[in-house]
Amino acid sequence: MARIPSRGSDQFMVRFPDGMRDRIRDEADKNGRSMNAEIIARLEASFEQNPAIDGALVATLASTLNHLLEYTNHLQNGREAVHLSPEVQKSLNRLANLRLPSTPDEE
């Protein structure tokens, strides 16, 4: 059975940025938990994330965006007109040059 934190558990005072307390309360209400339980659940979830999966997801996204960038460059160099805002072009270039941290498999 899961241990339920009690008043005797370790306590740590946290200062939230403006608006965060309300956001936590709203999410806790949506999830049917206390604010404390919501914070604990979110912290636990952050420890359980698999960096290799996250890295693979980012690598896939970066590859897809790189292909998009190559395609838009191809279209721009041809006769077909493609108009990307400077912000979109800058974002695509930044993502195409993304360098990922190595995963344990690559070491």
Side-chain angles (χ1 to χ4, degrees):
M1 179 177 222
R3 184 173 165 268
I4 300 172
S6 66
R7 298 256 181 230
S9 298
D10 287 339
Q11 296 181 11
F12 185 81
M13 173 102 36
V14 177
R15 288 184 289 275
F16 294 124
D18 290 343
M20 183 171 284
R21 187 178 197 288
D22 293 335
R23 289 175 59 198
I24 294 169
R25 184 194 61 234
D26 292 346
E27 290 300 311
D29 289 346
K30 285 181 199 174
N31 294 318
R33 318 189 246 235
S34 68
M35 286 180 61
N36 188 75
E38 184 68 26
I39 292 166
I40 297 299
R42 287 173 178 259
L43 285 172
E44 287 290 345
S46 73
F47 292 126
E48 294 170 5
Q49 290 179 353
N50 184 335
I53 292 172
D54 292 342
L57 183 62
V58 171
T60 300
L61 178 58
S63 175
T64 302
L65 289 170
N66 193 34
H67 289 298
L68 177 60
L69 179 63
E70 289 174 8
Y71 180 69
T72 57
N73 286 338
H74 171 75
L75 291 176
Q76 288 173 337
N77 291 332
R79 295 210 184 282
E80 300 175 55
V82 174
H83 301 287
L84 298 175
S85 71
E87 295 83 14
V88 170
Q89 187 72 39
K90 185 176 178 181
S91 294
L92 286 173
N93 286 329
R94 196 175 307 138
L95 287 167
N97 293 317
L98 182 65
R99 298 289 178 254
L100 300 176
S102 62
T103 61
D105 296 338
E106 297 173 337
E107 294 176 350

